[in-house]
Each structure stands twice: as C-alpha cells, then as structure tokens.
Amino acid sequence: SVQQVQATHNAFVAIVDDGSVVTWGDSDYGGESSAVQDQLRNVQQIQATGRAFAAILADGSVVTWGNEKDGGCSREVQDQLQNVEQIQATECAFAAILQNGFVVTWGDPEYGGDSSEVRDQLRNVRQVEATERAFAAILADGSVVTWGDERCGGNNSKVKDEVANL
C-alpha cells in the first residue's frame, strides 16, 4: 500500500510499503524516474519543487530527479548529502537539514538554491520553512536566518531584532 504521495506541478510520486517508489505524470516534472529507479530503495520521505523530487533514503542519503535547474540534479552537493533528516523546498530549490544541524542547498539560486551568503550562520538548524522563492531557518538559539529572493522573505534584516525578541 501507499505510504506517502508527493507532487510537483505536473507529476506524482508514491512511496509504497517496501520503500520503493512509483512515479507518473509529465516527465519534464519528475514523472519519469527510470534514470534513478535503481537508487530509489528504502525511501523514507520525498519533497518536491515545482518540477523536481528529492527522496531521503533510510541511510540518510538523497536521490533527486526531474528538472535539473529546479533541484532535480544534486550532483554538485551530493557528497554533502549524508545524514539528511529533513528536506524543504521552494518553487525551484531544495534545502536539506543534516543530522549535525548544517544545511545543504541546491537548485535555482534565485529561488534559494544558493545559501553561500549565509552558510556560516546555518549552524544548529532545527527547522527550515519556505516561500515560493526563499527559505527561513530556525536555529537552536531561536534566531532566524533567511536567504533567497528578498521580495519573498529572503532578507529578514528589517525585522531581525523583533524576531529575536519573540
């Protein structure tokens, strides 16, 4: 039986009892997973951008597929995607929280796929949330770090003091 269903704009993926997945829909949106199907074993969780999927496996590694620019290709950060606990997604990028509290991002930089400007601040991350084009990370000390498109919440500098005092 099906354990989880996730969707991009035009495709679905389902995790079934044995930890394998079934995909269907538009191949340009992740509906075709044959290129990575042999890696999709013991899948625990799946997250989606508008046109790509990211699956967390039981060993904490990640498998991605779909539109490469929108997060379907994690090749550049694959070696960092170990001990992944959670993945969050904007419209075109992913952010993964690792067991050690660090964050790894990939996908379209304009949608939060590049967190290099705040990388040093992304330590002891407890949770990540997303808008269409930006991410916000809650740290263990209660502070919030944002990145991505400023118009979509990617810059919280104007309210940083207010957020810190909540």
Side-chain angles (χ1 to χ4, degrees), residues 4 6 15 21 42-47 54-58 61 63 65 84-88:
Q4 180 191 355
Q6 187 61 265
I15 303 174
V21 302
N42 301 312
V43 175
Q44 303 297 301
Q45 178 190 347
I46 295 182
Q47 186 56 267
I56 302 175
L57 307 185
S61 63
V63 176
W65 71 98
V84 173
E85 292 193 339
Q86 177 194 342
I87 295 178
Q88 188 55 264

Side-chain angles (χ1 to χ4, degrees), residues 101 121-127 137-145:
Q121 300 170 57
L122 292 173
R123 300 179 188 282
N124 300 312
V125 174
R126 297 291 174 247
Q127 182 180 347
I138 301 172
L139 308 185
D141 66 4
S143 62
V144 176
V145 176

Side-chain angles (χ1 to χ4, degrees), residues 19-21 23 33 36-43 55 57 63 65:
S20 64
V21 302
T23 58
S33 60
V36 295
Q37 194 66 43
D38 61 327
Q39 300 170 55
L40 292 169
R41 303 279 182 255
N42 301 312
V43 175
L57 307 185
V63 176
W65 71 98

Side-chain angles (χ1 to χ4, degrees), residues 107-130:
D108 191 327
E110 294 180 20
Y111 288 76
D114 178 2
S115 58
S116 59
E117 288 186 20
V118 295
R119 182 170 293 126
D120 291 343
Q121 300 170 57
L122 292 173
R123 300 179 188 282
N124 300 312
V125 174
R126 297 291 174 247
Q127 182 180 347
V128 173
E129 288 299 330

Side-chain angles (χ1 to χ4, degrees), residues 59-73:
D59 66 1
S61 63
V62 173
V63 176
T64 57
W65 71 98
N67 183 282
E68 288 193 8
K69 184 179 179 190
D70 294 355
C73 178

